Amino acid sequence: MHPATPPTTDAPVGRAHRTPLPRRHLLRGLLAVTVAAPLMFGAAACGDDGGAADPNAPVKLSIFWWGGDARAKLTEDALALYTKKHPNVTFETTWQANQGYFDKLATLTAGGNPPDLFQIDDNYLAEYAARNTTLDLTSYQESGKLDTSKFPKSLWQYGVVDGKLAGLAAGENTQGLVYNKTLLTKHNLPEPTTGMSWEQHIAWAEQVTATTKVPGTQDPSADYKALWVWLRQQGKDLYKGKELGFTAEDVTKWFELWKGARDRKATPTADVIHEGNSSDVTKQLVVTGKSATSWVWANQMPDLKKNTKDELGVIAYPGDPSAQWARASMYWSVFKGSKNKDVAIDVINFLNNDLEAVKLLGTDRGLPSNLDLRRVVSDDTTDPAMKQSIAVEAELTQKFGESPQVPIKGHSKVKSELIKAAENAQYGRATPAEAAAQFVEACKSAIA
């Protein structure tokens, strides 16, 4: 079992949840949701075979996801809509907060009580596919039962593991450099733009620091997202097959780039950088006022905006934007041994491609994967930060490159080891070369 790495837009830590009683009353007659403890999944998984013999045969589909109360309500409303259109299908839903989710999922799959349908992210998709736990969705995609024709190509491709479609994106996000527009306007400074080189970005940040006395940019040397994009711009990658896609020399150059930025006062001090290395949205330096930029996922804009009165802008990371891709914020996967495969596939297709369902789900799991329906959601939303996030991704969609391979086993450890190594360099406990060598050795152990 492996500890979960919290996804980018998750609920606070908590226990597995049962659907609250008022929700059951509300859904009665529509959904007939039976909420049970996770270990009850096996009963659902051993039910009817998805209606292969009789399309009207009763089916109870078990489904497991992480998230909070808001996600639970949105998901259950969408599932209720499915049951309204397919009265023979009901759902056994279980959900919990992100911490401990993957421990529970590992227990369920190893113990023979897996859900038919479950949520997963790119930290674990390759690992579960390698265990032969996930159903290959390729044939369903090719037949049109799983319609990805309106998806960005790089988005659905980011669910392919060893030639098999192991999961389908439940939503999309991409890397975003968020900056404080209010601060720049106040001091008559130019806004950063997509396509700036890394050196141009650092020079811009140096100017911001000198003029505003606020550090121009968070140092992203500990941020795997930034390193990944930079590596792709150098013709490298985070992973290549079952191995690392970079060398200690590559990482040395990355760490040296940001040592130079620190020396030029383009970034905050090490203690403040450490604060910004947190994945907590409320601690991002662009909203705490300790830096003019933060390196985040573009779909985090609404949450960032809730934590500051200043106006924010968002662009691609520096360098060639084709190094970025349409990343699956999370996936839906089907248990390979499910008796309800066909129904589970149809539910995934429904959640991604049905207009009413997509409008209900909104952007809770990222921007809608279906580009046509994404535009509808954008038109309907009244949140200016979300409109801005969707607009930026719509612009970048035209520039996205091919998706990289899904991260391999040990990815979560690689991310934490990068923070450790980068902070050693940031605090001066190691030279860039020493920190890079330590990082690469730790990574090799992590993925072994």
Side-chain angles (χ1 to χ4, degrees):
M1 294 186 292
H2 302 274
T5 297
T8 57
T9 53
D10 285 320
V13 174
R15 298 173 298 172
H17 289 262
R18 294 175 182 270
T19 307
L21 185 61
R23 292 290 308 136
R24 290 203 300 268
H25 287 171
L26 178 61
L27 297 177
R28 184 175 293 163
L30 288 177
L31 181 57
V33 174
T34 303
V35 181
L39 293 179
M40 292 297 290
F41 273 139
C46 296
D48 296 274
D49 64 359
D54 178 2
N56 296 313
V59 175
K60 182 185 290 184
L61 194 79
S62 56
I63 179 170
F64 186 33
W65 71 85
W66 73 78
D69 292 337
R71 177 172 297 170
K73 181 183 185 305
L74 294 171
T75 306
E76 288 166 357
D77 285 350
L79 296 177
L81 183 62
Y82 185 89
T83 295
K84 186 176 182 180
K85 296 184 178 185
H86 306 274
N88 62 309
V89 179
T90 55
F91 296 91
E92 182 176 331
T93 69
T94 305
W95 57 277
Q96 67 175 63
N98 61 66
Q99 185 166 323
Y101 175 85
F102 285 99
D103 287 339
K104 176 61 70 176
L105 184 61
T107 298
L108 294 172
T109 54
N113 296 304
D116 295 300
L117 182 60
F118 56 92
Q119 190 174 287
I120 195 166
D121 68 10
D122 61 1
N123 287 301
Y124 293 98
L125 184 66
E127 187 171 337
Y128 275 76
R131 292 180 194 167
N132 217 23
T133 301
T134 56
L135 177 68
D136 181 6
L137 308 179
T138 304
S139 63
Y140 297 93
Q141 181 193 38
E142 291 174 344
S143 70
K145 291 181 180 178
L146 200 57
D147 184 6
T148 59
S149 62
K150 301 297 183 181
F151 286 36
K153 185 178 180 182
S154 63
L155 180 59
W156 69 257
Q157 285 181 333
Y158 195 58
V160 174
V161 179
D162 294 332
K164 298 177 181 179
L165 186 58
L168 190 71
E172 176 195 308
N173 62 15
T174 193
Q175 297 86 350
L177 179 64
V178 174
Y179 60 93
N180 188 323
K181 292 183 70 171
T182 300
L183 178 70
L184 300 177
T185 300
K186 178 181 177 181
H187 293 276
N188 296 312
L189 289 169
E191 296 180 21
T193 57
T194 292
M196 289 176 102
S197 69
W198 292 88
E199 177 55 38
Q200 287 172 332
H201 172 74
I202 291 170
W204 169 86
E206 185 180 11
Q207 179 189 11
V208 172
T209 303
T211 303
T212 70
K213 309 308 177 188
V214 175
T217 186
Q218 159 69 336
D219 175 344
S221 54
D223 189 323
Y224 86 99
K225 304 187 300 298
L227 172 61
W228 201 347
V229 169
W230 181 84
L231 284 170
R232 283 165 61 85
Q233 291 165 347
Q234 318 306 310
K236 300 296 185 71
D237 220 315
L238 203 57
Y239 303 106
K240 185 176 181 180
K242 303 299 182 183
E243 306 295 331
L244 300 175
F246 57 87
T247 65
E249 289 73 21
D250 296 320
V251 182
T252 298
K253 291 177 183 177
W254 173 246
F255 285 166
E256 286 177 340
L257 175 68
W258 291 102
K259 181 182 185 302
R262 293 191 297 274
D263 291 344
R264 291 162 61 178
K265 305 293 191 292
T267 76
T269 60
D271 284 340
V272 178
I273 294 169
H274 173 73
E275 293 177 26
N277 286 340
S278 168
S279 61
D280 188 339
V281 169
T282 66
K283 294 180 180 178
Q284 295 305 304
L285 302 187
V286 76
V287 298
T288 61
K290 296 181 179 181
S291 175
T293 72
S294 286
W295 308 74
V296 298
W297 296 110
N299 69 338
Q300 290 179 297
M301 274 290 286
D303 289 331
L304 289 165
K305 188 66 188 73
K306 291 174 185 175
N307 289 280
T308 180
K309 295 179 180 178
D310 291 344
E311 185 180 359
L312 303 176
V314 58
I315 57 171
Y317 282 9
D320 184 352
S322 68
Q324 296 189 203
W325 67 98
R327 174 185 177 266
S329 51
M330 57 196 73
Y331 308 88
W332 287 115
S333 288
V334 177
F335 174 58
K336 187 174 182 179
S338 169
K339 301 291 186 180
N340 302 315
K341 295 184 183 73
D342 289 348
V343 175
I345 293 294
D346 195 56
V347 170
I348 296 176
N349 191 66
F350 176 81
L351 295 176
N352 277 286
N353 295 310
D354 181 88
L355 175 60
E356 292 179 85
V358 171
K359 289 175 71 173
L360 274 173
L361 293 169
T363 57
D364 177 73
R365 288 183 170 88
L367 304 186
S369 301
N370 181 310
L371 290 174
D372 287 353
L373 300 187
R374 185 185 301 177
R375 283 187 281 271
V376 174
V377 171
S378 178
D379 291 341
D380 285 354
T381 185
T382 57
D383 184 340
M386 182 50 66
K387 278 186 177 292
Q388 186 179 23
S389 179
I390 294 175
V392 168
E393 290 223 25
E395 176 189 349
L396 289 177
T397 295
Q398 310 305 317
K399 302 174 182 178
F400 281 150
E402 291 290 312
S403 62
Q405 70 175 72
V406 176
I408 59 179
K409 179 182 178 181
H411 178 57
S412 293
K413 183 67 171 175
V414 168
K415 294 195 299 185
S416 63
E417 289 294 341
L418 177 61
I419 295 173
K420 186 187 302 182
E423 291 195 343
N424 281 339
Q426 290 161 4
Y427 279 99
R429 295 189 291 253
T431 66
E434 290 168 345
Q438 294 164 4
F439 172 59
V440 169
E441 286 307 308
C443 287
K444 288 178 179 178
S445 297
I447 66 174

